[in-house]
Each structure stands twice: as structure tokens, then as C-alpha cells.
Amino acid sequence: MQKAIVLGGYGLIGAASMRALRRAGFAVTGIGRSASAALQSDPSADWLIRDIPAITVDEWRTLLAGVDVVVNASGALQDGARDDLTAIHVTALSRLTQAAAGLPLRIVQISAAGVSPEASTAFFRSKAQGDAILCASALDWVVLRPTLVLSPDAYGGTALLRGASALPLLMPRIMPEAQVQTVYIDDLAEAVVAAAQGELPSHLICDLTEREARPFPELLQIIRRWQGWPAPRLHLRLPTPLITALGKAADILGHLGWRSPLRSTALRALQDGITGTPDAWEDAGGRPCRSLAQTLALLPATRQERLFARSYFALPLAIATLALFWIFSGLITLFDPARAMAILSVRDVPNWTTNLSVFGGAVAHLGLGFAILWRRWTRAAALGMLALSGAYLTGSLIVAPDLWADPLGPMLKVFPGMTLGLMVWLMMEGR
């Protein structure tokens, strides 16, 4: 049985490649740095949990023993708290090719349509640099460059596409000149298998894409109709400065661990257009990739699809709302602690308990408000908010039960915030 290793095996493309290779009879091992993401992707698969850029040449030599093909589906869109483009696109591939020198194996590189050393983004430039290292150093290789990948799973740009298409009543109109082509995930996975089985010639570089390109606003309209939503009442033109500002804000959040598809790299790539030419692929004997219409016919828009699309922007909105509420409530208490203390002092609560409750609570509010903005701590912060809110409710029953009968409902208003925190905890999920 032939053996295959898939780098980034739990990602959108990596997971599809692993499934297709197993169906083709390969013994497949996936490599990635997150054990939980790997098990969520496929608990029955063979996984090696490692940070790919940290694997040394000697370690690669051990891992590659007896392996027939390596599929590199790992990658990152932009530098951030969890990602280093040079490390994942260049250093890791350089070490892999050094270790593979002289070995009878094929490396299948999943790159991207449009990569170039002169590209407008570091993503495309670093991908091009990695491709060049592979082509210059490896003996047997194939480079596949897909356009926008459509799949039953939604991640990154395709998730944003679904969410933007499903906005109630309105349709954003951005980058009307941007041209986009798509490729169905199964077409890409089949190309990976064909390359792994030696059906494609070595040293092949080809784009994987449908032939037709369309403006991005038209693509949004097509996806909206596919999802089954009524035509929008309003087409909202977003000015370029606003889009640029959104990209910069998403870049800042990237340093907190958020891999937003609104980051400047993704927006610039969209502005440049996501297009390719399938001639090299078809000339090598590859089956023409499906058109967008054929792809969508194979992807029924189920209830789960519509629920995901409609809730896509709800999670960041909930996180932002909780962060603002907890941060400002903490600041207000610190700016005027006397008013907060009065609520307890009039009820004969000891001064030391009052001071500890007021100042400790304010600090806790600030800590939780900022922590929920850091991707690594979001779920823990949401649980902390639930716990602290529950403590407030319990304490009020003991110290100030009269607040429950207050016409303004100060205690009853805690429950919507707790529900929002619970929603964030439930919806947070890493790839």
C-alpha cells in the first residue's frame, strides 16, 4: 500500500485531500499543530501533531521513510499571532525538500492561482518563493494552483462569501471590477490523487479553475439565490476607504489570534482578482473543472447552510458587544466607585467587603472584557463572564433581594448578557 503524508491535513483542502487519498487506497497520515482540530476533522485518521515549520531536516528524514507522496496543503493568509508566512510557506518547504533529496517520492504542492514574486501581497510572494524552492530542489513535484475553492465546509473567504450573501434585506456592493473564478473542492481533491498516483507528469505547474470569471458582486448574487434568500431590498455600496479601514482593523485583530477573511491581504487579493487559466491542467490530461453552476448543483443549500450564513456575523457582533459592556462597566465603576459602594453600604455590608466587591469586580470586568478579544482566551472569558454574573445574582439574593423588584430590572438584565456569553462559548470553534 502506498503511503502519503498531508501537511495541514485538517484544513479545508487538506481534509478533502486526505479523504480522497484514502478512497484511492493510500495509507494517509495528516500533520498539523492542533490535536483538537485534527480530531474534529477526522477522529479515525492517523495524525501527527506537530508545528510544521518547527520540524527539522533530520526529523523530516525520519518521517519520510517509506513515504511515496507528500501533499503540502498547509498555509496561512497573513502574519499574525499564530502565523508566520515565511516560516510556513518558505522555511518548512525548504527543510522538506532538503530531507527528500534522493528519495523516490513525489511532492504535491497546493499553491494559489496568481502567485508571483512581484505580487501585491506577502501571501502570494511567499507562496511563489516556496514554489520556486520546490521546483529548484526537488526531483519529482507537481504544483497545483486553485482559484476560490467552494466546498460543503466554509472557512475563510468562502465563509465570508456565504455570510455576506445572506445579510437580511441588503446586499453589500464592493469591488465591482474584481473578477473571480471558482473551483469545486472535489475537482481539487481529484487532482491531488491524480498527482499522487503519477497520472500527471512531473514538473507540472497548473491552475485549477473553471473557465468563466465573473464580477464579485455577481458572485454574491448567485450565492444568495443558491441559498434561497429573496432578492435584497437594498444594494449598499461600500466606499473604498471604509473597506480599507475594515482591513486595517482586521489586521490588528490578527495579532490577537483572529484569522479574519477581512484582513488586508484577503481584500487586496480580491481587489486584484482571483483568476487562473486551466489550459496547462487540461493539456496534461486533467478533466475540466466544474463551472460555478455545476458546483452549486452538487452543493445543496440545506437548513444548516442557511443557519450558518445568517449567524456568520452574529458571533463577532456578540464578542464585540460583550467586550464593550464589560470594559465600560468596569471603567465606570472605577471612575465613580462611591455610587457602587452606596448600593452595599446602605445595606450594612462591612466596608472591607464593599471595597473588595467594588474594586475587585471592576478589575474583573476589565480583565474579562479584554480577554474575550484575544482568540486564545475567548471561550474561557465567556465562561468567566457567566460565572461572575452568576455570583452577582446569588449575592444579590443574599444582600439585596429588593433589587429583583426594582422597576428597571437591574438583576433581570443580567440574564440577556449571560445568554450572549453562553452563545459565544457554544459557537467558538477553531479550524
Side-chain angles (χ1 to χ4, degrees):
M1 177 181 291
Q2 289 186 301
K3 295 182 179 180
I5 288 177
V6 179
L7 310 185
Y10 50 71
L12 181 70
I13 297 174
S17 298
M18 287 186 63
R19 291 192 295 267
L21 287 167
R22 281 204 304 273
R23 288 195 298 268
F26 284 81
V28 186
T29 298
I31 301 181
R33 63 185 170 190
S34 172
S36 60
L39 292 176
Q40 288 172 6
S41 173
D42 189 345
S44 64
D46 182 25
W47 292 103
L48 177 63
I49 306 304
R50 290 296 308 276
D51 185 16
I52 294 170
I55 301 176
T56 65
V57 175
D58 289 338
E59 289 174 306
W60 271 122
R61 290 194 178 103
T62 301
L63 293 174
L64 295 179
V67 171
D68 299 286
V69 61
V70 175
V71 178
N72 182 22
S74 63
L77 179 67
Q78 190 168 323
D79 289 327
R82 295 187 290 168
D83 300 312
D84 183 327
L85 292 182
T86 300
I88 190 64
H89 293 161
V90 181
T91 304
L93 199 56
S94 177
R95 292 174 178 172
L96 171 62
T97 55
Q98 289 181 55
L103 295 178
L105 64 80
R106 167 168 284 192
I107 299 176
V108 181
Q109 164 83 338
I110 309 299
S111 186
V115 302
S116 165
E118 295 79 31
S120 61
T121 67
F123 168 77
F124 284 119
R125 292 193 299 270
S126 61
K127 271 289 189 182
Q129 189 176 353
D131 291 356
I133 290 173
L134 175 68
C135 297
S137 305
L139 295 176
D140 187 5
W141 51 264
V142 171
V143 177
L144 304 176
R145 293 175 171 172
T147 52
L148 182 65
V149 180
L150 295 183
S151 165
D153 295 326
Y155 184 80
T158 57
L160 177 63
L161 180 66
R162 285 162 153 98
S165 302
L167 288 171
L169 303 179
L170 65 88
M171 175 69 71
R173 183 172 177 80
I174 62 173
M175 303 181 187
E177 305 301 322
Q179 297 291 310
V180 181
Q181 290 168 274
T182 65
V183 61
Y184 183 40
I185 186 65
D186 282 4
D187 288 338
L188 175 52
E190 289 171 11
V192 170
V193 172
Q197 292 179 328
E199 297 173 8
L200 300 177
S202 184
H203 297 186
L204 173 67
I205 301 176
C206 59
D207 294 339
L208 289 175
T209 181
E210 62 174 336
R211 284 204 169 267
E212 181 184 357
R214 61 198 56 78
F216 183 68
E218 180 182 333
L219 178 60
L220 283 177
Q221 293 279 15
I222 293 172
I223 297 298
R224 186 181 183 95
R225 288 196 297 270
W226 166 71
Q227 291 171 330
W229 306 116
R233 300 288 183 87
L234 176 66
H235 291 267
L236 183 63
R237 178 68 179 267
L238 299 182
T240 300
L242 176 59
I243 296 173
T244 301
L246 287 173
K248 296 298 183 184
D251 289 346
I252 294 172
L253 292 175
H255 294 289
L256 296 177
W258 299 98
R259 294 171 166 174
S260 170
L262 285 173
R263 285 178 289 176
S264 56
T265 292
L267 295 177
R268 184 58 184 269
L270 177 59
Q271 184 179 16
D272 293 343
I274 306 174
T275 59
T277 303
D279 293 343
W281 165 248
E282 294 178 9
D283 290 344
R287 181 176 60 82
C289 295
R290 295 172 176 88
S291 67
L292 175 62
Q294 292 171 325
T295 295
L296 295 181
L298 295 170
L299 295 174
T302 61
R303 180 172 180 269
Q304 292 93 323
E305 167 71 35
R306 286 186 285 273
L307 284 174
F308 169 83
R310 276 285 164 89
S311 65
Y312 180 73
F313 293 106
L315 179 59
L317 180 61
I319 292 172
T321 300
L322 287 170
L324 289 174
F325 170 76
W326 285 79
I327 289 171
F328 279 100
S329 62
L331 290 175
I332 290 170
T333 299
L334 291 178
F335 279 125
D336 191 4
R339 293 183 62 184
M341 291 180 181
I343 297 175
L344 298 177
S345 60
V346 299
R347 292 173 172 83
D348 297 325
V349 176
N351 286 336
W352 71 269
T353 303
T354 298
N355 291 332
L356 179 62
S357 299
V358 171
F359 288 103
V363 172
H365 275 232
L366 290 171
L368 291 171
F370 284 112
I372 202 170
L373 295 174
W374 190 9
R375 173 65 179 80
R376 181 180 178 182
W377 293 102
T378 299
R379 296 191 83 224
L383 285 179
M385 292 173 178
L386 289 171
L388 190 54
S389 298
Y392 287 153
L393 294 175
T394 302
S396 68
L397 289 172
I398 299 172
V399 177
D402 55 293
L403 292 177
W404 287 82
D406 191 301
L408 296 179
M411 304 315 301
L412 296 177
K413 291 176 181 176
V414 176
F415 289 101
M418 294 181 70
T419 302
L420 204 60
L422 180 61
M423 186 189 82
V424 169
W425 182 77
L426 290 172
M427 292 181 67
M428 280 297 300
E429 179 179 342
R431 180 170 66 169

